[in-house]
Structure formats: structure tokens, C-alpha cells
Amino acid sequence: FVMQRATAVVTHCQYGRREILRLFPSNVPVYVIPHGNYSEVHPISATRQQARASLGIRAQCFVYLLLGNISPYKEVESFVQSFRECCSSHDIAIIAGRNRAPDLVQRLEALAASDSRFRLFVGFVPDDDVQYYLQASDVAVFCFREVLTSGSVILAMSYGLPVIAPARGCLPELVTAETGILYDPADSGALGDALRNIKRRYTSRMGAEAKRIADS
């Protein structure tokens, strides 16, 4: 009914366009307009060294970032399990964002208290503070159960962070082998493999390419 009343429909990727036409067949034109980037939305004044110092992270650590709402659909606990199984004592996991699941946050707080590799920052992140998490990190991780499009993936890429994300929805049209790793969320070991492999493949060029794609 809504499709029939629409003059046009906009989606962020070709996959989205195909799904709309499959689920809601109509003669309404469906246009693809990519998700906009976040370049220069959040100020960057802190250096990597300053950002890490502010969060108590040593220079030699490899840092994974989960930034955004702390919610079950983000599969935070899947990341936690994979990180604990696959990452080393010199790796750090930053989890920062609003509390959308108090029981989950309580479990994460207990984990962070017992494992110093986890740095938990619960609460709304002001625009001026986003830079500290972005600048301190080496890669952004996304573990969505299901996803179509993601502003948080675009945000990370806009500021030059390689990404690890599920091969779902629009993300395969955005994340390339030069900008990160896509994994199959149906494979129980795939996220852990991605966490390991990104360290072997990581170069500054990955971040530069991620920013180039976001800027485009």
C-alpha cells in the first residue's frame, strides 16, 4: 500500500533495491543513492598518541573498536567470545556507546573488571569525544545479526578506519578487500578468523582506501 502511494523510493545500495522490488513488486521507480559520509562531522584535534593516552592504552597495542549503541542486535557478546579466544594479551577491545540493554552492560562491566584487555565506556558519546575512540583504534568491528545499511560503518570509514563486518545487506558493496574483512556470520569461527587476519593484513593504506571510498 505504501509503495503504491509513493512517487519514488530511495535505497542505499543495489542489494536494497533488489530486495524492495522482490518484496514489494510495483511500478514505482526505486533509486540507489549511497549513504552519505561523516567526514568533518566530528572534530579531530587529538593525535593517535594523545587519544591512546586519554584512554590508558599503550602504543604497541592493537585496538579493536565497537562504537555505537550497546544492544543485543549488535552481537557484542559474539565479539567478546571471539576476542577472548583469538586475540593476544597485547590486544585491546574498546566498547563504547549508549546502554540499550542493561543486563548486557552488566555482564560487560563484570568482564571488563576481570580482563584488562576490555575497555568499556557506557553512555552517550558527545561529538567532540568521538575522535578519541576513532584515533585510538586500528580497526572498527561490526557484528550485526542482520543489517541492510549502516551509518556506523560509514562513520568508521569516513575517519580512515579499516572495518570487519558481516557480509550482509549493503556492506559487500561498500567494504572491499582493500578496506577490511567481510565474514560470514553463519560460520561460528569466521569472526575469530577475521580478528586474527586483520592484524596480518593491516596497513595504513587500508585506512586511506576506506576514507577514499567513504568520501566518494
Side-chain angles (χ1 to χ4, degrees):
F1 177 70
V2 173
M3 286 287 288
Q4 296 301 330
R5 296 185 64 182
T7 302
V9 175
V10 172
T11 182
H12 287 155
C13 65
Q14 293 296 337
Y15 171 85
R17 183 178 188 277
R18 291 193 299 271
E19 283 295 281
I20 287 172
L21 294 175
R22 180 180 69 84
L23 295 170
F24 309 106
S26 76
N27 294 321
V28 176
V30 179
Y31 299 100
V32 174
I33 300 178
H35 194 306
N37 66 52
Y38 291 91
S39 296
E40 300 182 11
V41 170
H42 301 284
I44 298 291
S45 57
T47 64
R48 177 183 175 90
Q49 183 179 10
Q50 290 168 335
R52 289 201 167 194
S54 73
L55 300 176
I57 296 173
R58 292 172 297 172
Q60 66 268 35
C61 293
F62 192 89
V63 181
Y64 301 85
L65 172 67
L66 277 76
L67 178 65
N69 290 330
I70 301 175
S71 176
Y73 85 94
K74 294 286 186 79
E75 290 287 343
V76 178
E77 288 183 301
S78 294
F79 165 72
V80 166
Q81 180 179 347
S82 296
F83 181 92
R84 296 184 77 181
E85 292 173 354
C86 302
C87 295
S88 78
S89 59
H90 296 294
D91 297 330
I92 296 291
I94 296 175
I95 302 173
R98 287 180 290 190
N99 182 351
R100 298 303 195 201
D103 290 345
L104 170 59
V105 168
Q106 189 173 31
R107 292 192 295 274
L108 292 173
E109 287 172 338
L111 172 67
S114 63
D115 189 336
S116 62
R117 295 178 301 167
F118 289 92
R119 308 297 171 87
L120 181 64
F121 303 91
V122 180
F124 173 75
V125 181
D127 284 351
D128 288 350
D129 292 346
V130 170
Q131 62 171 317
Y132 294 102
Y133 302 108
L134 296 173
Q135 290 287 82
S137 301
D138 294 294
V139 60
V141 183
F142 304 92
C143 311
F144 304 108
R145 224 175 259 170
E146 295 291 341
V147 64
L148 180 59
T149 189
S150 170
S152 52
V153 171
I154 294 287
L155 170 64
M157 294 178 68
S158 297
Y159 287 88
L161 275 183
V163 301
I164 293 172
R168 289 282 191 269
C170 296
L171 299 186
E173 298 176 42
L174 179 66
V175 180
T176 69
E178 288 73 38
T179 63
I181 296 176
L182 292 173
Y183 69 93
D184 179 3
D187 180 346
S188 60
L191 177 55
D193 289 342
L195 296 178
R196 279 191 295 259
N197 290 337
I198 196 71
K199 292 177 69 176
R200 301 188 189 107
R201 292 174 45 188
Y202 178 84
T203 68
S204 60
R205 291 192 299 274
M206 293 182 77
E209 179 63 10
K211 187 176 189 317
R212 187 194 69 76
I213 289 177
D215 286 346
S216 72

